[in-house]
Amino acid sequence: MLLCSRCLGLYLFIILGFIISIIFKIGNNLNKNYLLGISVLLVAPLFIDSATQLLKLRESNNILRFITGSLAGIICGIDLHYLIIN
């Protein structure tokens, strides 16, 4: 596999989040502060998983990496759409 599981989830779900945001016009209906709060909540698991693995506190697995990448990716796609339309 050319990409790690986290990167694969991130890239796939950025595209998916962007498409979903366009179809359902999610970016049009969100308040900037609300979107920032959701973004922090969905990116936090990726940060925690990466940081604890980097500090060798525990070993992550591919399923967890994919899930954390997917959560961050979906909100990044929505954020990207929000930035483009505003």
Side-chain angles (χ1 to χ4, degrees):
M1 187 176 211
L2 297 174
L3 293 173
C4 71
S5 296
R6 184 177 293 127
C7 294
L8 179 65
L10 193 65
Y11 294 143
L12 286 175
F13 279 83
I14 285 174
I15 294 167
L16 184 66
F18 186 76
I19 291 170
I20 288 171
S21 184
I22 290 172
I23 292 171
F24 294 108
K25 299 179 180 173
I26 295 171
N28 300 349
N29 302 328
L30 289 177
N31 181 348
K32 185 167 79 170
N33 294 330
Y34 182 69
L35 185 59
L36 179 64
I38 293 172
S39 299
V40 168
L41 285 175
L42 291 180
V43 173
L46 183 137
F47 175 74
I48 293 167
D49 182 46
S50 301
T52 56
Q53 184 178 351
L54 179 67
L55 296 173
K56 299 188 188 302
L57 298 175
R58 61 177 193 78
E59 186 67 31
S60 185
N61 59 35
N62 285 335
I63 295 171
L64 185 58
R65 289 179 188 148
F66 184 78
I67 291 169
T68 58
S70 300
L71 289 173
I74 196 95
I75 197 64
C76 286
I78 293 169
D79 289 345
L80 182 63
H81 180 242
Y82 179 83
L83 289 173
I84 290 171
I85 62 170
N86 290 323

